Amino acid sequence: MNFDSKIAIVVRDDLATWQKLNVTAFLTSGLVGANDDLLGEPYMDADGNPYHALAIQPMILLAADAATIRKIYERAMTRNARLSLYTYEMFSTGHDAANRAAVAQFHAADLNIVGLALREERKLVDKITKGARMHP
């Protein structure tokens, strides 16, 4: 199946593995929360055991250095793309309100971005994420 949109998750390449996984999980939850049409139907195995619904389309996971993530962020902002965002300061928080406070204390130009995710038209996502590479 072809989709008009594309989902890209970009994480900073200098993070520890646990941090990359944590950032990816949080960013994915942001995409799902912002897109009512992103989830499919619940799953069920042949024994009748139910499982949660999953995203209806693939997501690509990209890696980039800090400077490239900053450029990606700026391209997204100038094109009015909606983002899920994760900053370095969020690693030291323990709940949603603290995460939001960690972001709110900085101006956009000063955000220490370690990950972002977006779902937009395919060509737009490619333009915005230029410079990032497939995560190894």
Side-chain angles (χ1 to χ4, degrees):
M1 174 179 256
N2 289 326
F3 295 93
D4 294 334
S5 63
K6 185 174 191 175
I7 298 172
I9 300 170
V10 186
V11 296
R12 208 166 74 189
D13 59 7
D14 63 346
L15 298 177
T17 300
W18 75 266
Q19 291 173 314
K20 290 177 186 179
L21 294 169
N22 184 271
V23 169
T24 300
F26 272 94
L27 293 174
T28 301
S29 72
L31 289 172
V32 171
N35 295 277
D36 293 336
D37 64 337
L38 190 54
L39 286 181
E41 297 296 320
Y43 287 66
M44 186 174 296
D45 64 27
D47 294 320
N49 297 309
Y51 304 96
H52 293 296
L54 299 177
I56 62 168
Q57 74 183 92
M59 300 181 195
I60 61 168
L61 184 55
L62 305 170
D65 61 24
T68 302
I69 281 195
R70 171 54 60 181
K71 287 178 190 170
I72 291 169
Y73 171 80
E74 290 168 358
R75 284 187 210 121
M77 297 306 285
T78 61
R79 289 170 171 87
N80 295 317
R82 293 195 54 213
L83 297 174
S84 295
L85 177 78
Y86 201 100
T87 65
Y88 189 82
E89 292 74 20
M90 292 166 69
F91 288 125
S92 63
T93 64
H95 55 87
D96 183 53
N99 285 344
R100 284 183 278 116
V103 173
Q105 68 183 322
F106 295 99
H107 294 283
D110 299 322
L111 291 169
N112 187 1
I113 302 167
V114 297
L116 53 83
L118 67 157
R119 181 188 189 208
E120 295 287 346
E121 186 272 324
R122 295 180 68 77
K123 290 182 182 178
L124 180 61
V125 171
D126 290 341
K127 288 178 184 177
I128 290 172
T129 60
K130 183 179 177 183
R133 63 192 183 289
M134 291 298 289
H135 194 282

